[in-house]
Amino acid sequence: MPKHGKKYREVIKLVDKQKNYDIDEALDLVKKTSYTKFDGTVELHVLLGIDPKKGDQNVRGTISLPKGTGKNVRVLVFAEGEKAEQAKQAGADFVGSDDLIERINNEGWTDFDVAIATPDIMRKIGRLGKVLGPRGLMPSPKAGTVTDDVAQAVKEFKAGKVEVRNDRTGNIHVPIGKVSFDKDDLKENLISAFEQLMRMKPENSKGKFIRKAVIAATMGPGINIDLSTLSLATVA
């Protein structure tokens, strides 16, 4: 494993790895332990009580952050005709059909954060699965990225809607803002993300759904959250 640098070794001393911090303490710490020169992202990492090997227990959906992500989200829309024009007017960064499909297929181009498609275009972009799938960019009805209302979808993702899905270890990762955010704004995003995530519990997932939650700034140490401060400790 690579050795951590001097700055990381200094900030890690501020964190008790055996302690579960309440929300306010955790957010104070995440700001203190961010040592990058740029404005890092604060990310929430949650271990779910699911079996990721079973398809009916996987979690995928969208979470809307009331205070936004602090990031300029680059939105691509696969659409034609009137829908394409609506997407452009709503602020989409890239809009097209066959031209974008060929660029992605031939060049492996993925210089965007969210891909939205109208239902009628989905038959055309199926072959892009090998490129977009591994990067979590393939449009999906479950994620709200396959829709006829492309204008609304563009506005929502630009405003702070993020797509989430569990990884192969049963963890889910949600950006909740930037280190520069006011603590109250980060707190509002954090609580809202938890509430929305709880509603995503699969019917076939038994027992405690939220097993562990950690927040960390970009390249910073993980800070354990006391789930009881979110009233989640006894939630099955």
Side-chain angles (χ1 to χ4, degrees):
M1 291 182 62
K3 292 183 178 180
H4 289 294
K6 181 180 178 182
K7 291 183 178 179
Y8 181 90
R9 294 197 300 271
E10 289 175 355
V11 298
I12 192 66
K13 295 175 184 177
L14 301 174
V15 181
D16 182 351
K17 285 293 185 181
Q18 305 305 312
K19 179 178 178 179
N20 292 323
Y21 293 88
D22 68 37
I23 309 170
D24 289 297
E25 287 179 313
L27 290 172
D28 284 334
L29 264 179
V30 85
K31 284 177 167 287
K32 291 178 182 176
T33 55
S34 175
Y35 60 90
T36 55
K37 292 182 179 179
F38 58 88
D39 188 11
T41 296
V42 179
E43 202 164 86
L44 168 66
H45 307 277
V46 181
L47 176 61
L48 303 176
I50 62 172
D51 183 348
K53 294 181 180 179
K54 296 181 178 179
D56 59 1
Q57 290 192 34
N58 277 260
V59 174
R60 183 177 184 182
T62 57
I63 287 176
S64 295
L65 301 172
K67 297 301 181 179
T69 63
K71 178 182 179 181
N72 178 29
V73 181
R74 299 163 300 173
V75 178
L76 177 148
V77 177
F78 295 106
E80 297 174 340
E82 184 182 351
K83 297 296 182 184
E85 189 58 37
Q86 291 173 1
K88 290 176 183 177
Q89 292 180 3
D93 299 273
F94 310 100
V95 181
S97 179
D98 294 337
D99 54 336
L100 292 178
I101 292 170
E102 289 306 312
R103 185 177 180 187
I104 293 168
N105 192 52
N106 296 335
E107 302 174 21
W109 176 70
T110 56
D111 195 20
F112 48 91
D113 303 298
V114 178
I116 298 167
T118 54
D120 60 308
I121 299 292
M122 284 303 292
R123 58 183 174 78
K124 289 187 176 184
I125 65 174
R127 59 194 172 111
L128 299 181
K130 291 183 179 179
V131 179
L132 300 183
R135 294 169 175 79
L137 293 171
M138 192 68 180
S140 161
K142 193 171 184 180
T145 47
V146 176
T147 175
D148 273 319
D149 194 350
V150 290
Q152 183 64 25
V154 169
K155 291 175 183 177
E156 288 177 348
F157 279 101
K158 284 283 189 181
K161 190 175 187 179
V162 295
E163 183 179 353
V164 296
R165 62 193 303 179
N166 64 269
D167 60 22
R168 65 183 64 185
T169 61
N171 284 277
I172 207 160
H173 314 280
V174 188
I176 59 168
K178 294 289 187 178
V179 173
S180 62
F181 275 27
D182 183 83
K183 189 179 85 170
D184 287 340
D185 289 344
L186 282 174
K187 185 175 182 179
E188 187 173 343
N189 276 351
L190 174 61
I191 293 173
S192 179
F194 261 104
E195 290 175 345
Q196 292 172 73
L197 185 58
M198 284 302 300
R199 294 196 288 269
M200 295 182 191
K201 181 179 180 180
E203 291 184 8
N204 293 322
S205 172
K206 306 301 180 184
K208 198 171 184 179
F209 183 48
I210 305 291
R211 291 187 175 177
K212 183 178 181 181
V214 176
I215 59 171
T218 303
M219 296 172 64
I223 300 160
N224 297 324
I225 296 178
D226 181 352
L227 296 179
S228 66
T229 64
L230 288 167
S231 301
L232 293 174
T234 59
V235 177

